[in-house]
Amino acid sequence: MAEADHYDALETRTPEARDADLAARLPLVIAKAMTAPGWARHLDGVDPRAVTGRAALAKLPVLYKSSLPERQAAEPPFGGLVGEPLSAFSRLFASPGPVFEPEPARPDPANMARGLYAAGFRAGDVVLNTFSYHLTPGGLMLDQAARALGCPVIPAGPGNTEQQLQVMAAFRPGGYCGTPDFLKIVLDAAAAAGVEVSFLTKAVVSGAAFPPSLQAEIAGRGIAAFQLYASADVGCVAYDTPARAGMVVSEDVVVEIVRPGTGEPVVDGEVGEVLITALDPQRHLVRFSLGDLSAVLPGASPCGRTNMRIKGWMGRAEQSAKVKGMFVTPAQIAEVARRHPELGRLQLVVGRAGEQDIMTLKAEAAASGESALAEAVGATLAAVSKLRGTVELVPPGTLANDGKVIVDTRAVV
């Protein structure tokens, strides 16, 4: 593909060049993070100079996003995880949780521009940005990315559909940023009002599911819509490209896919929990779990970008269940697997029978008919979780590759 199809030369560099860059940057990023007291405690004993690649990174502890509200309440405003004063940042956000986030003071601080560029946004394109500008960072993240590309932005925010149509008729935006759901609302409203919006030809969507049925409907209306996987904490994680062959990981982060609740990397193709390390000295995130599931796709994208590809957002990794008053976690199921290396995938199914909570551990095993193995695994499950459950050995390949370690089938009352 032509050079103009790529945001910069980083996207098409060799894997060897990317690894060398990672080896140079990781120690600096981790050393800078450890200047913050919270990270110093979390990474106690870590020598940043020794963390020069993925193998060394995988040995560091995981920080879970779900722990941030409690950490930040105990040590405001950022839980001791930011080492610079508030004056070093340009904006301060509050996302639901609440989770407080600082914005680095530079153009395109969330590194979203390359995702917009991959979607075909170019200098001069007018962009309708319907992400919220109120307290949460989504609106400003996309706003600054579009302006970094030279695109004038309509700061519309969500809602007010009638006014949105008036603004669109006046400025004729060629690009849209927002949730896929709201894009459909705008298009439906335009059709109902007889407002012509054929000038809108491309979109970057995020923040909500974009099922194939909605993808087909948006495409049928003449709009090329591209997904952007992002987080308020880290900015752009991965983005769609014209190849439509998975999402390419941003050059500004390291993505790991691990067994949920454990921090242990899984093989490529296995669905697991997404961990992010930001290659940004101001955005202190090292093995940070977003609580999402995804999987690595093999090989490089046909679009010419050479970084890792992932399937995108595949659900939530937070799968703990409360059984008979006690929590069972994915980490406990991983410990069962560690003690029984002869097993393949494991999945704990929690249900109800006779007005009692019950657990069934489904475990892939070549010797699926061996009762002695089932009894041994059952004993390990009881020792690890302090709860008794039934063990069902199934043939290899029986359990779905969906990252679901714990499935709770109890009806929600």
Side-chain angles (χ1 to χ4, degrees), residues 215-349:
Q215 293 179 35
E217 181 174 347
I218 298 300
R221 298 190 185 197
I223 298 173
F226 295 77
Q227 295 185 78
L228 191 149
Y229 176 26
S231 155
D233 320 88
V234 70
C236 180
V237 175
Y239 52 93
D240 270 342
T241 78
R244 305 291 188 176
M247 304 184 82
V248 175
V249 171
S250 174
E251 298 295 329
D252 309 293
V253 299
V254 178
V255 167
E256 299 173 86
I257 306 296
V258 304
R259 187 167 291 106
T262 71
E264 300 172 3
V266 299
V267 298
D268 287 358
E270 188 85 6
V271 177
E273 184 175 2
V274 178
L275 303 187
I276 305 294
T277 296
L279 298 176
D280 180 339
Q282 266 196 298
R283 201 180 290 274
H284 303 335
L285 294 172
V286 179
R287 304 203 85 206
F288 181 70
S289 171
L290 299 176
D292 296 333
L293 294 173
S294 192
V296 173
L297 292 171
S301 172
C303 71
R305 293 170 177 84
T306 56
N307 206 357
M308 174 193 288
R309 292 182 302 149
I310 60 175
K311 289 186 177 181
W313 186 83
M314 297 178 68
R316 296 293 294 166
E318 301 285 353
Q319 299 173 37
S320 298
K322 200 170 188 179
V323 181
K324 297 181 179 179
M326 298 179 65
F327 279 103
V328 183
T329 69
Q332 292 173 325
I333 307 308
E335 176 60 20
V336 174
R338 189 188 67 79
R339 297 188 189 185
H340 294 276
E342 67 272 31
L343 300 179
R345 290 195 183 103
L346 280 76
Q347 184 180 86
L348 184 73
V349 180

Side-chain angles (χ1 to χ4, degrees), residues 320-411:
S320 298
K322 200 170 188 179
V323 181
K324 297 181 179 179
M326 298 179 65
F327 279 103
V328 183
T329 69
Q332 292 173 325
I333 307 308
E335 176 60 20
V336 174
R338 189 188 67 79
R339 297 188 189 185
H340 294 276
E342 67 272 31
L343 300 179
R345 290 195 183 103
L346 280 76
Q347 184 180 86
L348 184 73
V349 180
V350 179
R352 296 277 290 176
E355 300 304 323
Q356 296 288 324
D357 290 339
I358 61 170
M359 301 193 311
T360 301
L361 180 65
K362 296 183 178 181
E364 293 183 351
S368 56
E370 289 191 7
S371 59
L373 176 59
E375 290 176 6
V377 173
T380 302
L381 175 64
V384 169
S385 69
K386 311 305 179 189
L387 294 164
R388 293 192 177 277
T390 302
V391 174
E392 180 184 339
L393 300 181
V394 299
T398 300
L399 299 178
N401 178 24
D402 57 9
K404 294 180 179 178
V405 178
I406 298 177
V407 176
D408 193 340
T409 64
R410 294 171 294 186

Side-chain angles (χ1 to χ4, degrees), residues 99-122:
V99 175
F100 302 111
E101 295 122 354
E103 179 189 85
R106 61 170 184 269
D108 188 26
N111 302 311
M112 299 282 205
R114 66 175 69 251
L116 294 183
Y117 195 90
F121 287 58
R122 296 295 184 270

Side-chain angles (χ1 to χ4, degrees), residues 148-227:
L149 293 178
C151 301
V153 178
I154 304 168
N160 301 313
T161 309
E162 183 177 342
Q163 189 174 16
Q164 299 264 8
L165 295 181
Q166 293 174 348
V167 171
M168 291 173 71
F171 293 121
R172 300 176 64 85
Y176 166 94
C177 292
T179 66
D181 312 65
F182 191 65
L183 175 56
K184 174 175 166 51
I185 289 172
V186 170
L187 295 176
D188 287 347
V195 177
E196 187 268 324
V197 291
S198 61
F199 43 79
L200 190 63
T201 60
K202 52 201 167 194
V204 163
V205 298
S206 189
F210 194 29
S213 57
L214 184 53
Q215 293 179 35
E217 181 174 347
I218 298 300
R221 298 190 185 197
I223 298 173
F226 295 77
Q227 295 185 78

Side-chain angles (χ1 to χ4, degrees), residues 12-202:
T12 57
R13 57 185 164 167
T14 65
E16 293 77 17
R18 187 173 286 108
D19 287 345
D21 183 47
L22 182 64
R25 296 173 71 184
L26 262 181
L28 301 177
V29 164
I30 293 171
K32 186 63 184 294
M34 291 179 71
T35 63
W39 280 110
R41 293 190 296 269
H42 184 73
L43 298 175
D44 184 39
V46 172
D47 179 1
R49 296 168 298 180
V51 187
T52 57
R54 287 179 170 272
L57 183 64
K59 297 177 182 178
L60 304 187
V62 175
L63 180 71
Y64 292 92
K65 181 171 181 173
S66 58
S67 73
L68 291 187
E70 183 178 350
R71 287 174 177 269
Q72 293 183 347
E75 194 173 353
F78 302 124
L81 299 172
V82 174
E84 299 181 354
L86 297 183
S87 58
F89 301 99
S90 58
R91 292 185 178 90
L92 304 168
F93 295 111
S95 293
V99 175
F100 302 111
E101 295 122 354
E103 179 189 85
R106 61 170 184 269
D108 188 26
N111 302 311
M112 299 282 205
R114 66 175 69 251
L116 294 183
Y117 195 90
F121 287 58
R122 296 295 184 270
D125 290 339
V126 177
V127 176
L128 179 74
N129 184 20
T130 68
F131 282 112
S132 175
Y133 282 74
H134 177 65
L135 282 180
T136 58
L140 284 159
M141 282 180 167
L142 273 299
D143 185 299
Q144 292 173 108
R147 290 193 293 115
L149 293 178
C151 301
V153 178
I154 304 168
N160 301 313
T161 309
E162 183 177 342
Q163 189 174 16
Q164 299 264 8
L165 295 181
Q166 293 174 348
V167 171
M168 291 173 71
F171 293 121
R172 300 176 64 85
Y176 166 94
C177 292
T179 66
D181 312 65
F182 191 65
L183 175 56
K184 174 175 166 51
I185 289 172
V186 170
L187 295 176
D188 287 347
V195 177
E196 187 268 324
V197 291
S198 61
F199 43 79
L200 190 63
T201 60
K202 52 201 167 194

